[in-house]
Amino acid sequence: MNSDFFDKLYRGYSAENFITAQLFEYGFEAFRLPADFGIDLVATNQFKKLKSKKNYDNSFPFGFQVKSYRLQQQHTLKGPNDRKEYQFFYSITRENLEILQEYPNSALAFVFMIPFGYSIKNIYVFCIHSTEIDNMIEKQFFIEDFTSKKPSYNLNVCFRTFPHENRENLISEMVNKNLIDQYGVKFLKDKLPEHFPKNWKAKEGLYLCRKHYGKNPPNSLVNRAIVTNYDFSKFPDFPKISYT
């Protein structure tokens, strides 16, 4: 048995099932296709048509291609202001992008899961509608991958959590300032998790990364906050992406 294959397969299923659950939550149906046709999930609106006067007919059936990434503890980097930061990328074949472009009622759904304890949740989804694919290529967010066996693009992502405090650092600081004694140290070690959010007015940061523009661009990428965690209560509407 190829355990790596099944691990990857089951992780993909978990991402698809998460999206399926979100669609059912808001009154839509979702079905997984039995083979790889470039579309993983098909959403319909039969319940909405029966119970609601709102006309969705031009938006259905709707197809999702789902890409998933499960981040591990070793992927954690130290970002600005002691934030936990993750940098990773999704690979998308040109063939799959072309399939989506042929079907206007479709979108890419990018799911990523982060370790528990570093955010208010651990599953995130952002979506890119098929009508944005040409823009994503032109603006160099979809970056051609010349190392792949099939013509493909990579989408690089940077995610920053809320600023976090380390339990041991906090205890050490409080001891040095004579704010707690040995009983206070034991209490905090028993009650506090290893990491917890700081009480700052801050937001999580979700960035897509593009190439630099210009004649002699550096190899580093530019982070741009052009997408947000998708709100499935808005489905089948998708926000227009502003690239400026």
Side-chain angles (χ1 to χ4, degrees), residues 42-110:
V42 174
T44 60
N45 64 329
Q46 292 304 111
F47 176 76
K48 295 278 189 181
K49 288 176 69 174
L50 290 173
K51 299 295 183 180
S52 173
K53 294 180 180 179
K54 189 171 182 180
N55 187 356
Y56 291 103
D57 287 346
N58 292 333
S59 299
F60 290 91
F62 194 95
F64 283 99
Q65 183 181 138
V66 182
K67 298 292 183 182
S68 64
Y69 203 108
R70 185 180 295 273
L71 293 152
Q72 305 295 334
Q73 184 66 42
Q74 60 265 29
H75 296 131
T76 307
L77 303 173
K78 186 175 181 180
N81 299 317
D82 292 326
R83 292 173 181 249
K84 301 295 181 182
E85 180 173 301
Y86 301 91
Q87 297 177 10
F88 54 102
F89 70 90
Y90 298 92
S91 180
I92 315 126
T93 65
R94 184 184 300 167
E95 180 184 11
N96 281 347
L97 290 180
E98 290 171 351
I99 290 172
L100 290 172
Q101 287 182 297
E102 291 173 2
Y103 186 53
N105 291 345
S106 64
L108 287 149
F110 296 93

Side-chain angles (χ1 to χ4, degrees), residues 219-236:
N219 290 327
S220 60
L221 299 176
V222 179
N223 294 345
R224 288 290 180 263
I226 63 172
V227 296
T228 58
N229 195 50
Y230 184 64
D231 181 358
F232 279 89
S233 70
K234 308 297 185 185
F235 180 75

Side-chain angles (χ1 to χ4, degrees), residues 161-223:
T161 68
F162 289 108
H164 273 67
E165 181 68 83
N166 177 277
R167 178 184 61 206
E168 299 306 319
N169 290 345
L170 175 65
I171 291 174
S172 177
E173 181 180 345
M174 294 181 73
V175 168
N176 291 337
K177 293 181 179 179
N178 295 318
L179 298 175
I180 54 174
D181 57 16
Q182 60 180 332
Y183 299 104
V185 169
K186 184 178 185 305
F187 177 83
L188 293 178
K189 284 187 175 182
D190 290 341
K191 299 299 181 182
L192 289 178
E194 184 179 356
H195 302 277
F196 52 92
K198 291 182 178 179
N199 187 23
W200 290 6
K201 290 183 178 180
K203 295 181 179 179
E204 294 174 317
L206 174 58
Y207 307 94
L208 302 188
C209 313
R210 64 162 172 79
K211 286 187 173 182
H212 285 267
Y213 301 148
K215 293 183 178 179
N216 298 300
N219 290 327
S220 60
L221 299 176
V222 179
N223 294 345

